[in-house]
Amino acid sequence: MTADPLHALDEEQLAAVTAPRGPVCVLAGAGTGKTRTITRRIAHLVGTGHVAPGQVLAVTFTARAAGELRTRLRALGAGGVQARTFHAAALRQLRYFWPRVVGDRQWQLIEHKLRAVGQAAVRAKAGTDQDSVRDLTTEIEWAKSSLITPAEYPAAVARLRRDSPGPAEQVAAVYAHYEELKNRAEMLDFDDLLLHTAAALEEHAVVAEEFRDRYRCFVVDEYQDVTALQQRVLDAWLGDRDDLTVVGDANQTIYTFAGATPKHLLEFPRRFPEAVVVRLQRDYRSTPQVVAAANTLISAARGRVAGSRLRLEGQLPPGPDPDFTEHDDEPAEAAAVARRIRRLIADGTPAAEIAVLFRINAQSEAYEQALADAGIPFQVRGGERFFKRPEVRRAVSVLRMAGQRGGDDLVGTVRALLAPVGLTDEPPAGASARTQWESLLALVGLAEELVAVRDGIDLPAFVVELETRADAAHPPTVQGVTLASLHAAKGLEWDVVFLVGLVDGTLPIQHAEGDDDAIEEERRLLYVGITRARRVLAMSWALTRAPGKGRQRRRSRFLHGLIPDHHPASRIAADRSSGNKPRCRVCGSPLLGAEAMKMRRCGDCPSDVDMELLDRLRSWRAVAAKEQQVPAYVVFTDATLAAIAEHRPSDVAALVGIPGIGARKLDRYGPDVLALVADRR
Ligand code: ATP
Ligand code: MG
């Protein structure tokens, strides 16, 4: 039975779903049903016969997200619709058109990109150590995604005041050499796939005609993260037509480092003045508690562009408050998270409904270890690691060697072939044996999934699918706790989310320091993380990396304002600051160094707080407290004053975004506070 595409939609969602074919734009916050709206729209258009399933192309940004789209579409009876990443769609089209556009010359996807960039760096006499080469590679990718050629690079860097990983002329030379090396070897990188696809359609009328005849209706999810290059492909797909639905949330733009920009999303209504534009604000995913944390975090963002100021309204019944925990070191943090997960599972939460999210993949290992030690099955998402696990490599090679065996029953064949390498009927005892068993089972699950959607798929085709997925880092679903980077978690949701490793230097990441835009992108990453949780949201950090060793760290500056004043984590801060271990009054972390002690804040906190304003607020508070004969903290706590001096709210809306300022305080003190801030401006 398939669901009715018009069932359980609110008024605004329904408007987007049932809008006639043509431009539609949904600008909305996290969890408001954007992905739901586009899948329903596709199913509705297909179901009512307005378009054939094969004529729809839905694109998104990760293989995982494309997989989710396909799953949802299948459930709605629109399984024939193509849902792919930009790259996968381009790869397919290019394979098809290539012979006509280029002729007999073959091409290959570049396998050792870093090596090629390294060689180019040698030629350009640039840095060739691992870090430099990686930075150069990222920079080349940014330039290509932004449609900037080597020759244009230096001027673009100057125009954008971009921090390039070396002298601009030299980076341009590396970029030029890389292109040359790659082209000479007749290889394409991922960006070339998109470039060539766009070029094929732009320059070959016959190709464009055939393509546009085939695909007539386009849908883009997560449109806030489109790059100039992807936009060019999209424009080539469209031609002069306008049957395009886009949905996105500018506050979840997290790939600007790679050339993405929310500009195309925000300007869509201007580009297509006749577009149906819908804004969604009701959050159907998360409890009001989680929604409040998300609103608080994002309302403190600096330089938000018009069109991104949406305030989410939680629709679910209330749940627990988000919680915050400080640990001495990372292994202690990981062990505590694993213990808590074990209790959750014992109390009935399915492991697959729990996620641990972190900023960088290197953080994963401590959690893999801790979960394995606790005997909890898990999967690492967004990573190529699944296909690198020894048991998976062994399994894939067994399947490959089996060749044509098996006949019709793919699932049965896969099971039988994997039995000798460890796929028993019942899960084995022991944590690591269990993890391996889950991986093998996931391969069987994938076979089941594919059989359901692809007629006549046989073993060799299955092996090809596995290889493609290994290339695209798209692992099958394992029934276990999800470990994922914040980037890889976009668009997904879990009942329980642990956001771990929340220290300055990790989130925001070290290299964002000193660049306001980069810091804001880090804030959006945390916003993405928070909004993944349906009910339980646990945030934690550790003061040192390893037990008893290393530099002291402080909890992420973004938590300031999220942690309520009365919360134990803040209380620790208050207690210790009056005892022998003083803490920063801005962020609550331990204070290090004499200067910090004197200022009662960390060296890098002050740039955020207007000290002069803070002093004036303090004097004002003293007078107000005296007038009303109450202690000063009853007017506003220190933390609230610091937050005001940090965020410098310019209007009532911004002022209520600061924790500790409810309706009563707003009435009583709002005008005074805003006047003080305005004075300073
Ligand atoms: P993100 O910005 O994180 O990608 P989104 O806007 O795409 O979020 P969805 O994933 O489509 O949001 O929806 C979030 C959750 O809310 C899903 O579990 C979805 O099923 C549910 N949901 C959306 N709309 C409704 C509705 N009208 N009634 C009930 N549940 C809904
Ligand atoms: Mg979504």
Side-chain angles (χ1 to χ4, degrees), residues 373-568:
D373 288 348
I376 300 166
F378 62 88
Q379 58 169 332
V380 185
R381 263 207 188 159
E384 53 304 321
R385 284 201 209 161
F386 177 84
F387 289 100
K388 293 205 172 128
R389 291 184 189 171
E391 72 273 18
V392 173
R393 290 164 70 146
R394 213 175 315 129
V396 174
S397 83
V398 164
L399 296 174
R400 190 183 302 119
M401 297 204 327
Q404 291 291 349
R405 267 177 49 187
D408 291 347
D409 176 16
L410 175 67
V411 177
T413 309
V414 171
R415 264 191 184 283
L417 287 167
L418 297 186
V421 291
L423 186 64
T424 45
D425 286 345
E426 293 298 319
S432 79
R434 172 74 195 242
T435 309
Q436 293 179 16
W437 184 83
E438 294 280 355
S439 307
L440 299 179
L441 197 65
L443 293 174
V444 176
L446 181 61
E448 282 168 353
E449 241 178 70
L450 290 174
V451 165
V453 292
R454 221 190 278 169
D455 288 340
I457 180 167
D458 58 2
L459 189 56
F462 180 59
V463 172
V464 169
E465 172 74 22
L466 290 177
E467 285 163 351
T468 317
R469 279 174 176 245
D471 282 347
H474 179 200
T477 316
V478 179
Q479 284 307 311
V481 172
T482 297
L483 297 181
S485 69
L486 291 165
H487 282 103
K490 198 163 76 150
L492 307 180
E493 58 188 32
W494 294 270
D495 282 346
V496 181
V497 170
F498 290 88
L499 301 177
V500 301
L502 300 178
V503 291
D504 264 9
T506 302
L507 189 72
I509 195 104
Q510 192 70 46
H511 57 68
E513 211 56 73
D515 176 344
D516 287 350
D517 293 341
I519 293 284
E520 287 309 318
E521 179 137 312
E522 298 290 303
R523 180 195 302 280
R524 294 192 294 269
L525 260 179
L526 180 57
Y527 179 73
V528 167
I530 289 176
T531 53
R532 298 310 97 197
R534 292 201 193 99
R535 237 180 87 74
V536 178
L537 175 62
M539 296 183 243
S540 59
W541 60 94
L543 294 176
T544 58
R545 187 149 287 149
K549 272 199 294 211
R551 204 167 53 85
Q552 281 255 356
R553 308 180 300 185
R554 52 202 197 95
R555 75 182 188 218
S556 169
R557 70 193 67 171
F558 299 134
L559 294 179
H560 174 62
L562 286 185
I563 300 187
D565 289 351
H566 62 270
H567 188 274

Side-chain angles (χ1 to χ4, degrees), residues 8-10 13 29-37 72 221-222 249 252 284-285 491-493 531-532 534:
L9 293 171
D10 67 30
Q13 292 171 335
T32 54
K34 294 184 297 298
T35 304
R36 184 191 195 80
T37 298
R72 292 195 195 190
D221 198 1
E222 309 270 3
D249 174 8
Q252 293 185 70
Y284 293 97
R285 174 180 293 144
L492 307 180
E493 58 188 32
T531 53
R532 298 310 97 197
R534 292 201 193 99

Side-chain angles (χ1 to χ4, degrees), residues 4-6 17-21 40-53 76-78:
D4 168 15
L6 302 186
V17 168
T18 54
R21 282 182 61 178
R40 298 297 192 88
R41 175 164 169 78
I42 295 169
H44 177 67
L45 288 173
V46 168
T48 49
H50 283 90
V51 63
L76 292 164

Side-chain angles (χ1 to χ4, degrees), residues 291-369:
V291 169
N295 280 332
T296 302
L297 177 73
I298 209 67
S299 67
R302 304 244 171 88
R304 285 170 88 190
V305 277
S308 67
R309 278 189 214 104
L310 291 171
R311 218 180 152 72
L312 294 172
E313 296 159 7
Q315 301 296 303
L316 297 193
D321 280 326
D323 59 76
F324 304 88
T325 320
E326 178 173 286
H327 301 273
D328 287 336
D329 51 66
E330 278 180 9
E333 185 183 2
V337 168
R339 273 197 304 277
R340 208 168 144 192
I341 291 178
R342 200 163 50 185
R343 277 202 304 277
L344 283 161
I345 295 174
D347 292 345
T349 306
E353 276 308 333
I354 302 174
V356 179
L357 308 180
F358 35 75
R359 172 65 180 84
I360 50 172
N361 284 318
Q363 290 171 278
S364 177
E365 209 172 316
Y367 291 87
E368 292 173 37
Q369 187 69 50

Side-chain angles (χ1 to χ4, degrees), residues 38-74:
I38 53 166
T39 48
R40 298 297 192 88
R41 175 164 169 78
I42 295 169
H44 177 67
L45 288 173
V46 168
T48 49
H50 283 90
V51 63
Q55 294 173 331
V56 183
L57 180 56
V59 281
T60 181
F61 292 85
T62 64
R64 172 63 57 184
E68 299 269 337
L69 278 182
R70 281 195 294 273
T71 310
R72 292 195 195 190
L73 285 168
R74 250 198 324 271

